[in-house]
Amino acid sequence: MPKTAISLLVVAALGSALAAQHLPAEGAHGAVSSAEVHASEAGIAIMKAGGNAVDAAVAVGFALAVTHSSAGNIGGGGFMLIRQADGQNFFVDFREEAPGKATTNMYQDAQGNIVKGRSIQGFLASGIPGTVAGLVSAQKKLGKLTLAQDMAPAIALASDGFALDTSEANGLRRAKNLALFPDSHRVFQRDGRFYEVGEVFKQPELAATLKAIAAGGADAFYHGRIADELAAFEAANGGLITAADMAHYQAKWRQPLEVKYHGYDILTSPPPSSGGVAIVEMLNMLDNTDFVSHGMDSAAALHDEIEAERRAMADRAVYLGDPDFVKVPMATLLSPDFAKERWASVKPEQASLSKDVGAGAIPGFESDETTHFSTVDEAGDAVAVTYTLNFGYGSGVTAGHLGFLLNDEMDDFTSKPGAPNGFNLIQGKANDIEPYKRPLSSMVPTIVSKDGKLALVLGSPGGPRIITTVFEVLTDVLDFGLNVQQAVDAPRFHQQWMPEDVYFEGPSRFSPDTLALLAKMGYPLKVGGSWCDAEAIQIDPKTGLRMAATDPRADGAALAY
Ligand code: GLY
């Protein structure tokens, strides 16, 4: 379609906490969904300047590091999934790594008890940051513009500042962990003179760090002045990250997981994501039941979906870890036969007990403040990125005068087998801490195609709830026929093996009849709250329109042109 014939309409669909958005933003050329409007605008601007979906994703990733401080980052890590229009696909693993001096028991005291908070707050909580390596590596290999062009919007937002919206301003004011560390309190809370809604927030120190990366690439971050300054700051404060750790870090290109499901081709995240394996397992299990015929959110369909979640999450706890350190039984976990075996223990109209379910037997084997963004360009290339500092504002520690927050991703490792982590996840030995190992993640950027054509790009933050949110948005679109915005808006439920509880969004998101039927089947129900922030783009199979959706539970922006 000629450019002039295309509507110049830019539909900016801005979510707000309770105002559900019912129509996706539509455009013929490109689309971006992210957790913050300036970042989505950066992605659109880069595509309009000739960049592709990877350039746009890189621009969004760096911009979120400026405008969405709780989760956007250069001091954290994540995953990028890329599908090009011709079907070629790539996965960049830029998950953080345990520092070289990390030890398996570093979060336990002499008696073997977990030291509360040590893996979540302060200097010992951080892994070696991976985001800069990941974004730059993807840009270099698959971007069309220069790194400096892709980073220009982020640098401008940091240097010139941007007006804080309600959610960002309130987030900075309320973040208790930022108040504990002098550089964080200075940069993000102006030493107690908190930023107001609408006030312009400038970050000159972060701008200087970003400018150095734009000029010198990932080397400028992992070698030389920035790495040395970070290492000195860590050493002075009892942290473990050294200049050698920084020099050691590399983004890893891995093979995405692929599964066929109900006529669609689903491309998703391999370990150290646990999400892709879990979602493939859940979908394979659902192939053993006609849950769709019961109707979306009926008690019978929910029973099947919850039992699939329970079993996949139990296997997650036992078998999954960094594939460069532990042997993950991928072939079995992904096989329809294994899913069938797992499904055999599901009883009609009766809740299973997680303590009885356990992990499947495989012989021979021992806030959730993340953020997701999706981009689609004119050619039909698509990128899904989930990256994170782990909990809101990560460890709470700003890296001195470098202007960026450090993650608390070490909490995603097993601090002690059998003990719950910050997300109440019970984890196993496969996810033990070892030097330079990557902690298991729930992040699961996912891309769906049908008959060779791009269909859906999605992901979400939310710790283990990422997995169930992505699973539910997938089935809502692929099985129940919802459009992307309806699926993102739809009520959520969550079961993660342990604890036994099943969580339902509420109040009034599921019918009392349905909940009563589930309670009768034996489900321990926890109703209330809302969670995650799915940011997704669907392609209309008939018109090719890009339809971008943002989650009404958060304050993101879906833009298309
Ligand atoms: N930090 C949350 C996750 O990666 O699962």
Side-chain angles (χ1 to χ4, degrees):
M1 199 183 301
K3 258 198 173 121
T4 45
I6 309 256
S7 158
L8 292 175
L9 179 77
V10 173
V11 185
L14 305 180
S16 70
L18 289 170
Q21 170 198 333
H22 299 293
L23 294 173
E26 292 183 347
H29 299 289
V32 177
S33 293
S34 90
E36 202 279 331
V37 64
H38 297 91
S40 292
E41 285 170 354
I44 293 284
I46 284 294
M47 284 195 275
K48 284 186 173 175
N52 61 18
V54 172
D55 291 299
V58 170
V60 174
F62 280 113
L64 285 169
V66 179
T67 61
H68 186 50
S69 312
S70 62
N73 70 81
I74 57 171
F79 302 132
M80 179 184 286
L81 179 64
I82 302 151
R83 181 187 185 276
Q84 293 178 327
D86 63 3
Q88 272 203 86
N89 52 65
F90 307 89
F91 182 83
V92 194
D93 165 8
F94 56 97
R95 184 76 165 149
E96 300 89 330
E97 266 176 14
K101 285 190 274 189
T103 59
T104 304
N105 300 332
M106 64 186 278
Y107 300 115
Q108 298 174 25
D109 63 18
Q111 286 70 47
N113 300 314
I114 300 249
V115 182
K116 209 165 178 268
R118 191 187 275 175
S119 63
I120 290 184
Q121 198 164 273
F123 286 85
L124 286 177
S126 304
I128 308 163
T131 294
V132 173
L135 296 184
V136 174
S137 177
Q139 204 288 330
K140 234 174 162 170
K141 185 167 163 138
L142 299 171
K144 270 169 71 182
L145 303 183
T146 64
L147 178 64
Q149 281 174 297
D150 291 351
M151 291 186 68
I155 292 170
L157 287 161
S159 306
D160 306 340
F162 64 98
L164 288 165
D165 65 18
T166 309
S167 122
E168 300 296 334
N170 287 347
L172 293 178
R173 176 188 293 268
R174 289 176 189 152
K176 291 201 173 68
N177 55 354
L178 294 179
L180 295 175
F181 300 97
D183 287 300
S184 300
H185 194 47
R186 170 177 63 79
V187 170
F188 296 102
Q189 298 179 323
R190 215 165 34 189
D191 289 321
R193 291 176 296 112
F194 296 103
Y195 288 97
E196 300 294 339
V197 177
E199 208 175 333
V200 171
F201 178 42
K202 295 185 183 179
Q203 298 169 81
E205 292 172 349
L206 178 57
T209 298
L210 293 172
K211 279 180 196 162
I213 298 166
D219 280 355
F221 187 75
Y222 291 98
H223 302 267
R225 181 186 62 80
I226 293 177
D228 291 345
E229 205 172 314
L230 175 61
F233 182 69
E234 287 271 313
N237 290 285
L240 298 186
I241 300 172
T242 62
D245 288 342
M246 292 293 282
H248 181 271
Y249 190 87
Q250 303 251 309
K252 295 183 182 179
W253 289 70
R254 300 187 189 275
Q255 198 60 41
L257 304 182
E258 293 182 60
V259 64
K260 285 207 173 296
Y261 177 72
H262 294 181
Y264 293 90
D265 293 295
I266 299 179
L267 200 61
T268 188
S269 306
S273 166
S274 62
V277 172
I279 285 175
V280 172
E281 252 197 280
M282 290 175 196
L283 297 175
N284 281 342
M285 279 187 248
L286 288 182
D287 259 346
N288 295 284
T289 167
D290 184 17
F291 76 110
V292 182
S293 67
H294 299 301
M296 184 178 151
D297 291 344
S298 62
L302 287 167
H303 169 58
D304 287 350
E305 291 167 279
I306 292 164
E307 294 306 335
E309 290 181 2
R310 186 195 310 278
R311 283 159 180 75
M313 295 298 275
D315 294 335
R316 174 200 194 277
V318 174
Y319 293 118
L320 294 180
D322 182 341
D324 295 338
F325 283 74
V326 292
K327 191 153 171 41
V328 180
M330 294 291 284
T332 306
L333 289 171
L334 300 178
S335 83
D337 287 347
F338 180 69
K340 195 170 176 183
E341 265 170 46
R342 296 292 276 139
W343 194 254
S345 63
V346 177
K347 298 191 185 74
E349 296 184 25
Q350 190 184 328
S352 300
L353 284 174
S354 292
K355 69 178 173 51
D356 298 339
V357 165
I362 300 183
F365 266 92
E366 66 266 18
S367 189
D368 61 347
E369 292 287 349
T370 298
T371 191
H372 177 85
F373 47 99
S374 301
T375 64
V376 174
D377 66 19
E378 180 140 29
D381 292 358
V383 179
V385 181
T386 314
Y387 78 157
T388 184
L389 290 167
N390 198 24
F391 287 99
Y393 308 100
S395 63
V397 174
T398 295
H401 289 272
L402 295 171
F404 65 88
L405 281 159
L406 288 161
N407 65 82
D408 58 346
E409 219 67 61
M410 293 295 284
D411 188 62
D412 277 347
F413 277 118
T414 305
S415 290
K416 183 178 174 180
N421 77 350
F423 290 111
N424 269 331
L425 281 168
I426 304 289
Q427 315 211 66
K429 286 198 71 60
N431 190 32
D432 268 353
I433 303 170
E434 288 182 61
Y436 301 130
K437 189 173 170 184
R438 299 181 181 204
L440 191 60
S441 172
S442 297
M443 295 184 290
V444 59
T446 296
I447 299 177
V448 182
S449 58
K450 188 167 190 198
D451 303 327
K453 284 194 186 148
L454 181 66
L456 183 65
V457 188
L458 76 161
S460 175
R465 292 172 190 224
I466 295 172
I467 301 175
T468 50
T469 293
V470 170
F471 166 64
E472 289 159 27
V473 173
L474 277 174
T475 55
D476 288 351
V477 173
L478 309 187
D479 291 319
F480 294 111
L482 267 53
N483 77 33
V484 67
Q485 188 63 60
Q486 292 166 329
V488 163
D489 292 352
R492 298 194 176 130
F493 53 93
H494 175 76
Q495 212 291 327
Q496 62 177 46
W497 180 49
M498 292 290 182
E500 297 274 358
D501 304 304
V502 191
Y503 298 85
F504 291 86
E505 264 194 317
S508 302
R509 301 252 25 217
F510 290 86
S511 90
D513 287 357
T514 301
L515 295 176
L517 284 169
L518 289 166
K520 219 167 134 193
M521 289 182 204
Y523 285 105
L525 310 181
K526 286 252 156 97
V527 182
S530 66
W531 55 82
C532 291
D533 176 7
E535 299 291 340
I537 302 170
Q538 183 179 21
I539 309 299
D540 184 317
K542 291 200 188 87
T543 62
L545 271 182
R546 286 94 174 95
M547 302 185 292
T550 193
D551 200 316
R553 298 161 185 83
D555 214 6
L559 304 179
Y561 74 107

